[in-house]
Amino acid sequence: MTILNRRKALALMGGTLAATGLAAPALASNRKIKVGALRFTSHAGNFVALERGYFADAGLDVEFEFFQAAQPMAVAIASGDVDYAVTAVSGGLISLAQKGAIKVIGGALSEEDGIDGQKFLASDAAFQAGVKTPKDLAGKKFAVTQAGSSFHYMGSKMAAAEGIEMSFTPLQKVGAIIGAMKSGQVDGWSIVPHIAKPLAGSGAVHIIGDVSDYLPNYQVTTVFTSARNAAEERGLTESFLAGYSKGVDDYAAAMIDKTADQDAMVDLIHKYVYTDRPREKAAPSIINGTMRLNKGAALNLASIKDQLAWFQSEGLVDADITIEQVVDGSYVDMIDA
């Protein structure tokens, strides 16, 4: 297996875990690994696993490396700068999987009936001009981080369902998109509820629809690693998934099932999310961000297949990439396979 440095990874981009209990211990006690993350509530499984010692119990010494978009995280995994990560499927991730650099090994954030999910938004300027529903975004500018990002996928699938056309404006970072929405430079966007709801509450944007209406059971984010780790570091990979999954269980108990202390969970997440806000102001956004994180890191394979087919139909990845090149299905349960 070829190990890619960051430059090579960028060049290439251009051209059944049990639900509870730990897996086999890591190959070396206190094995140091880097985990890629975004400062989103949806990454709480990793935050909880670190703070409550589940990674340490698995023999792992975890350090987080934070990113602002999905695609750079895929490059970091391929180059070996990061060992494991949770993020959305992107064109870059798929292309690197085709080159034998990375593998999806599990599922994380999902849309689920009965749990408030991602929202379609309109800027205030667009809303005042008549954009009240996703269909009204016909002919408008829809914000994405990059072409081939999850934002691009969500917007495109909605537009196809509504029979409309939009232009997609790449702005690289979520912060830049928020600024462009507030200033009216772009008209629409889709984002997780812990970002959507506070923005809508401020009047800067307006919620005009739910992503789940167009993409039910959407596997929003996945757990992934290098192809080398998936193939050659099974004990290490199982240990990471075990620690992560115990973090997910605690998150679900507190935030979804309400059988554990929600205040304590909010305090824990606040160490990583909305750190620039006092706790009392951060808490509502953290709570608003509650969505399903798949138990045992189970992966909705049907959703991943649909995403792969969309990337191929848009010409964003090669038409001959197979799902087996993208996903290693040997680690966790496959949903709707």
Side-chain angles (χ1 to χ4, degrees), residues 69-240:
Q71 203 144 285
M73 205 181 300
V75 175
I77 288 282
S79 67
D81 291 345
V82 170
D83 299 292
Y84 299 93
V86 173
T87 196
V89 174
S90 65
L93 184 151
I94 293 171
S95 294
L96 288 169
Q98 181 188 24
K99 300 295 185 181
I102 63 178
K103 286 284 187 183
V104 170
I105 55 171
L109 188 69
S110 290
E111 294 282 348
E112 181 178 306
D113 289 343
I115 300 177
D116 208 15
Q118 296 181 102
K119 306 298 182 184
F120 283 111
L121 305 178
S123 68
D124 185 58
F127 188 82
Q128 301 305 330
V131 177
K132 311 293 186 182
T133 70
K135 187 172 185 176
D136 297 329
L137 286 167
K140 304 296 185 180
K141 293 180 179 179
F142 192 87
V144 301
T145 47
Q146 298 102 8
S149 63
S150 60
F151 303 111
H152 191 183
Y153 171 73
M154 287 184 279
S156 182
K157 294 290 281 191
M158 178 275 290
E162 293 288 4
I164 64 173
E165 292 186 3
M166 304 184 300
S167 61
F168 294 93
T169 303
L171 294 170
Q172 307 307 317
K173 298 179 181 179
V174 167
I177 294 176
I178 292 172
M181 288 286 286
K182 287 180 175 179
S183 63
Q185 296 176 66
V186 292
D187 306 298
W189 186 33
S190 57
I191 192 60
V192 288
H194 76 86
I195 293 177
K197 290 180 181 180
L199 283 173
S202 73
V205 305
H206 301 267
I207 294 172
I208 59 172
D210 293 307
V211 169
S212 61
D213 289 343
Y214 302 91
L215 291 165
N217 304 312
Y218 170 32
Q219 184 71 69
V220 184
T221 62
T222 64
V223 183
F224 69 107
T225 188
S226 66
R228 180 184 177 279
N229 279 346
E232 300 177 20
E233 295 276 9
R234 191 163 193 93
L236 183 69
T237 301
E238 288 176 343
S239 293
F240 168 77

Side-chain angles (χ1 to χ4, degrees), residues 26 29-37 43 45-51 53-66 82-85 236 239-241 243-244 272:
S29 179
N30 206 38
R31 180 82 172 265
K32 189 171 184 63
I33 62 170
K34 281 191 175 183
V35 174
H43 287 249
N46 277 324
F47 304 151
V48 175
L50 178 64
E51 293 290 329
Y54 301 144
F55 283 140
D57 291 345
L60 303 175
D61 177 8
V62 168
E63 175 186 347
F64 291 131
E65 182 165 337
F66 289 96
V82 170
D83 299 292
Y84 299 93
L236 183 69
S239 293
F240 168 77
L241 286 167
Y244 168 78
Y272 300 93

